[in-house]
Amino acid sequence: MTTTLVERDGGRPDLRRLLSDNGALGGLIVLVAALSVMAPNFLTAQNLLNVGVQAAVVAVLAFGQTFVIVSGGIDLSVGSVAALSGMVAAWSFTEAGLPGWLALVAGLVTGLAAGLVNGVMVSYGRLPAFIATLAMLSVARGLTLVVSDGTPKSTPDEITALGSTIGDYLPVPLLVMLLVFGLTGIILTRTYAGRTMYAIGGNADAARLSGINVRRSTLVVYGLAGVFAAVAGLLLAGRLASAGPQAAVGYELDAIAAVVIGGASLSGGVGRATGTFVGALVLAVLRNGLNQLQVTPFWQQVVIGVVIALAVLFDTLRRRNK
């Protein structure tokens, strides 16, 4: 009789093996348990919803980053692209006079265009992904400042609705995050594009020899990352009811951290939507818990950095011992 990944002994779930194969999930459970003891208000329904809302923007960015990292690349521009997409959408509404829904589309198209430019530089220009996306980080942030003239701009109702709540308890950002999570999982596991990402990340030369159009696939990867960055930017603008020129500064680092905490390999070929989702929750839970414990923002950065390093170290050791 064969044994599945998480079942053994007559079909009973093997929790130890599940946690062993999902180190980030085990870390999240330990973190939640510790914070529930140390911060009495942590496990309230309202606070848990707040954690989900706080995780949403970084999680959506991280899902797009997952495609890039799985394929063996890196995208440092997603934070700036998110800010540019939100600003273009707001500018299209306030300055160009476009309807709200069309302004939202303009924001998505902006993210797609930025992602495709990244893809062209990496796949056809043969620039290292680090350099190409670092350049886009600067260009997108600069364009955000140019478009906004350095001042925030209000968003239409169609975008503000993305930061609202359905009824009394169901935040829209949480729903969007879950939808993007599901879409990411489907793309990675059920589509040809997802299979090519793993193939290219594992060995680009072997993927090319097997008939995969590596250049076109790379273009698709960065295009998807750009669209997901745009969605994150629109979510952030919706939550704030305005698009700011300094929005999402440093978010690209949180997105990369979430992917890596989730078990992805920066060398490519390894990564899952579930791992990224858990990684984003780890960061959100940690920040929320530290706020409740009244830890200063300066020390929060130190703690988060240490947690990221330990998470990657433990995951590396776990993989070596398997």
Side-chain angles (χ1 to χ4, degrees):
M1 180 182 294
T2 59
T3 303
T4 66
L5 180 63
V6 296
E7 291 187 352
R8 185 183 295 169
D9 299 333
R12 289 179 297 176
D14 187 348
L15 183 59
R16 290 180 59 186
R17 186 169 182 180
L18 174 63
L19 295 180
S20 174
D21 290 332
N22 298 272
L25 179 59
L28 178 61
I29 292 173
V30 170
L31 189 59
V32 169
L35 289 174
S36 64
V37 174
M38 299 169 66
N41 293 327
F42 178 78
L43 277 183
T44 62
Q46 185 59 53
N47 187 62
L48 292 178
L49 288 175
N50 288 338
V51 170
V53 171
Q54 291 165 5
V57 174
V58 169
V60 173
L61 282 176
F63 291 136
Q65 189 74 246
T66 303
F67 299 137
V68 180
I69 289 178
V70 164
S71 63
I74 194 78
D75 191 346
L76 300 177
S77 69
V78 290
S80 295
V81 171
L84 178 61
S85 300
M87 183 56 69
V88 166
W91 180 89
S92 299
F93 175 71
T94 58
E95 304 294 335
L98 294 182
W101 68 269
L102 197 53
L104 189 151
V105 172
L108 293 174
V109 170
T110 299
L112 174 61
L116 290 177
V117 171
N118 281 335
V120 168
M121 289 193 292
V122 172
S123 59
Y124 293 93
R126 299 195 176 183
L127 288 177
F130 183 92
I131 300 301
T133 59
L134 181 63
M136 179 57 72
L137 178 153
S138 180
V139 170
R141 184 63 63 181
L143 288 175
T144 304
L145 291 167
V146 169
V147 171
S148 66
D149 199 23
T151 59
K153 294 189 180 298
S154 60
T155 54
D157 292 341
E158 288 83 351
I159 295 177
T160 304
L162 294 174
S164 64
T165 302
I166 298 175
D168 294 328
Y169 300 105
L170 191 56
V172 174
L174 182 60
L175 289 178
V176 174
M177 177 179 67
L178 293 175
L179 287 173
V180 176
F181 167 48
L183 178 61
T184 303
I186 291 172
I187 291 174
L188 285 174
T189 61
R190 303 294 181 94
T191 67
Y192 173 77
R195 291 190 291 273
T196 61
M197 292 175 197
Y198 286 106
I200 294 170
N203 190 319
D205 291 332
R208 187 178 294 106
L209 291 174
S210 67
I212 295 174
N213 189 324
V214 174
R215 288 183 174 180
R216 186 175 61 191
S217 297
T218 301
L219 201 61
V220 170
V221 166
Y222 283 94
L224 283 171
V227 172
F228 279 38
V231 173
L234 294 171
L235 271 180
L236 183 58
R239 283 184 58 194
L240 301 175
S242 67
Q246 297 298 334
V249 171
Y251 279 35
E252 60 277 349
L253 300 180
D254 281 353
I256 294 170
V259 179
V260 173
I261 289 173
S265 170
L266 288 175
S267 60
V270 178
R272 295 180 301 172
T274 51
T276 297
F277 182 57
V278 172
L281 288 179
V282 167
L283 292 176
V285 165
L286 189 57
R287 283 201 170 94
N288 182 277
L290 292 175
N291 283 331
Q292 293 212 19
L293 294 173
Q294 299 182 343
V295 177
T296 65
F298 312 117
W299 278 107
Q300 286 187 29
Q301 292 299 316
V302 175
V303 172
I304 290 171
V306 170
V307 168
I308 292 171
L310 290 176
V312 176
L313 176 62
F314 288 156
D315 190 66
T316 301
L317 294 175
R318 178 182 59 83
R319 291 176 186 274
R320 287 178 181 173
N321 294 329
K322 286 181 69 173

